[in-house]
Amino acid sequence: MGYGDPLNSTNDLKDRSQTDLIARMLYSEARGESDQGRRGCGYVVRNRMAKNSSEFGGNSYSGVILKKYSFEGMTTESALKPDINSTAWQECLDLAQKFFLNPNSVVNPIGTCLWFVTNSLYKNKIKKSGSTESYTFNGRDYVKVTEKKVIGGHTFFKVQGY
């Protein structure tokens, strides 16, 4: 099977190589973003791997990327059937290969951030108190944001306790 081959269901993702999974995640989540924005999305995966926690799917690309509810884009047609003839796919695949084969060649633009969402979703899920922002995950208690970086259409962040 080649990178980006069409798949019928998310169950088929389990059999894909880690490079293919990284490329599909980047494509489904950030194909319209700049290289820096795509690197940020990739580094969320790397940062979660570094935590080596079952909460994030362990310490492998496949474990983290396929962790249920972690990357919404992985449940879409964009992940299952990427346009492999597009420039965006080729850029995502090139970056995925760098992440997997030569990770030290990829500059981290987001520090230790562990999540990203669209800027509009972030704004809808925070409350501010002075210069402090707190984020709510699915309507649960608000948690203080300790690190934040906005790149293109995404807000990358980390919350207290992580």
Side-chain angles (χ1 to χ4, degrees):
M1 287 189 152
Y3 296 131
D5 283 349
L7 304 175
N8 294 318
S9 77
T10 55
N11 288 333
D12 295 336
L13 290 166
K14 295 174 189 164
D15 299 326
R16 305 305 301 176
S17 72
Q18 296 199 57
T19 300
D20 189 54
L21 289 173
I22 299 164
R24 288 172 189 268
M25 188 281 294
L26 295 171
Y27 183 78
S28 66
E29 296 281 2
R31 68 183 167 277
E33 296 296 323
S34 67
D35 177 66
Q36 184 181 31
R38 289 185 189 131
R39 284 186 285 117
C41 291
Y43 260 96
V44 165
V45 175
R46 294 276 311 274
N47 291 345
R48 289 180 179 187
M49 287 171 51
K51 288 285 187 190
N52 192 15
S53 163
S54 61
E55 175 183 6
F56 294 123
N59 65 354
S60 70
Y61 284 107
S62 58
V64 171
I65 291 170
L66 296 178
K67 177 75 175 171
K68 196 169 187 175
Y69 307 117
S70 289
F71 298 98
E72 190 175 317
M74 292 302 291
T75 65
T76 67
E77 285 290 306
S78 294
L80 296 176
K81 297 174 180 161
D83 178 0
I84 61 171
N85 297 313
S86 69
T87 302
W89 170 255
Q90 192 56 57
E91 291 170 351
C92 290
L93 180 58
D94 289 348
L95 181 56
Q97 290 171 326
K98 287 178 189 173
F99 263 112
F100 189 67
L101 299 173
N102 191 8
N104 294 332
S105 71
V106 182
V107 176
N108 178 350
I110 62 158
T112 61
C113 292
L114 293 167
W115 292 273
F116 67 90
V117 293
T118 62
N119 296 336
S120 59
L121 181 60
Y122 183 84
K123 289 176 185 171
N124 288 334
K125 296 187 90 173
I126 62 164
K127 69 177 181 181
K128 291 185 178 188
S129 177
S131 62
T132 301
E133 292 181 349
S134 296
Y135 187 86
T136 181
F137 293 93
N138 299 321
R140 292 183 281 178
D141 291 340
Y142 283 86
V143 185
K144 182 181 177 185
V145 174
T146 58
E147 189 174 357
K148 176 181 152 186
K149 176 82 176 184
V150 177
I151 303 173
H154 288 121
T155 300
F156 300 85
F157 63 101
K158 183 177 176 182
V159 297
Q160 194 167 29
Y162 289 91

